[in-house]
Amino acid sequence: MSPTLEGPVLEGTLVRLEPLEHRHAADLAVAAEEDRGTYAFTWVPRAHEMGAYVEAQLARAATGWVAPYAQVSLASGRAVGATAYLDARSWLADDRLDAVEIGFTWLAASAQGTGVNAEAKLLLFRHAFEAWGVSRVDLKTDARNSRSRAAIESVGARFEGVLRNWSRSWAPGEDGRLRDSAMFSITSAEWPERRERLERRVAGFRRGTAA
């Protein structure tokens, strides 16, 4: 039996992760249209699709499989992207959460490279490891998506390999096709070092000195 996911509000100094609601749709519609050239292999809904996108995520949330979030910039007070916990797994006992994935992640072009992604991952990792007590957090992306792979590695996740024909492709024009997925993870044993590294990186963004 898989545990039910329910994510609380997670607040940092650059971003606040709020459980996704219909009220976020207008901001997300604007965010999604800024510069779609950065998305490549990542599917991001168009402005006119945002209402249906939110509905679909809330339907997944109702099953307990996904805990979707809006990423809200504290500088502007506007939602600038989305992310989620998903696919919780329990291996040792039904009431124990052993592993979870972070996915469904996208950011407006203007929010990329600002520290929002780094701090959002810090908040999500910290809650998963320290509140839920998971042993593993995993992330995956299209194996061809070098931009996404670099972003995942930048927050401390370790590349584990490529699983061929692992999931549906989200790339434009590839409906009905499967993709190879590049798999990454952080384990509980690695988390203290990764947390320290991520905290330093987020502090650098706050000071304007992050690389």
Side-chain angles (χ1 to χ4, degrees):
M1 177 178 176
S2 297
T4 298
L5 285 174
E6 186 173 348
V9 173
L10 301 173
E11 184 151 0
T13 57
L14 302 172
V15 64
R16 180 172 60 251
L17 301 182
E18 299 178 355
L20 184 67
E21 298 179 7
H22 290 290
R23 64 186 175 86
H24 296 117
D27 282 355
L28 292 176
V30 173
E33 295 294 340
E34 285 189 357
D35 178 2
R36 297 187 63 85
T38 64
Y39 297 139
F41 299 102
T42 300
W43 182 78
V44 176
R46 302 300 306 237
H48 70 275
E49 299 172 317
M50 199 58 69
Y53 166 80
V54 172
E55 284 283 358
Q57 287 294 74
L58 293 179
R60 294 184 181 105
T63 71
W65 184 69
V66 173
Y69 282 102
Q71 302 192 65
V72 177
S73 165
L74 293 182
S76 68
R78 299 179 64 88
V80 294
T83 192
Y85 289 118
L86 64 146
D87 194 20
R89 282 98 71 200
S90 291
W91 295 309
L92 300 180
D94 286 347
D95 60 350
R96 173 187 170 89
L97 180 57
D98 294 307
V100 70
E101 181 179 341
I102 294 171
F104 289 112
T105 300
W106 61 270
L107 278 175
S110 62
Q112 296 172 22
T114 64
V116 167
N117 179 62
E119 187 170 56
K121 292 300 191 296
L122 173 61
L123 296 171
L124 291 165
F125 291 148
R126 187 168 63 197
H127 186 75
F129 285 117
E130 299 177 17
W132 287 341
V134 302
S135 295
R136 169 190 171 95
V137 174
D138 43 82
L139 306 93
K140 65 178 184 286
T141 189
D142 192 306
R144 300 167 293 179
N145 193 340
S146 57
R147 186 186 187 98
S148 179
R149 290 175 66 157
I152 292 172
E153 289 182 330
S154 76
V155 297
R158 179 177 177 178
F159 175 59
E160 296 183 323
V162 173
L163 298 181
R164 297 176 297 168
N165 291 344
W166 180 251
S167 62
R168 65 172 290 183
S169 174
W170 296 99
E174 293 189 356
D175 289 350
R177 293 178 57 182
L178 296 175
R179 75 176 196 191
D180 296 345
S181 291
M183 310 297 291
F184 298 80
S185 73
I186 296 177
T187 68
S188 56
E190 296 167 336
W191 171 237
E193 187 275 334
R194 299 299 197 275
R195 173 176 176 165
E196 184 177 343
R197 185 194 307 179
L198 257 181
E199 287 174 340
R200 288 198 304 268
R201 189 157 184 258
V202 171
F205 278 109
R206 289 199 299 266
R207 294 192 303 267
T209 60

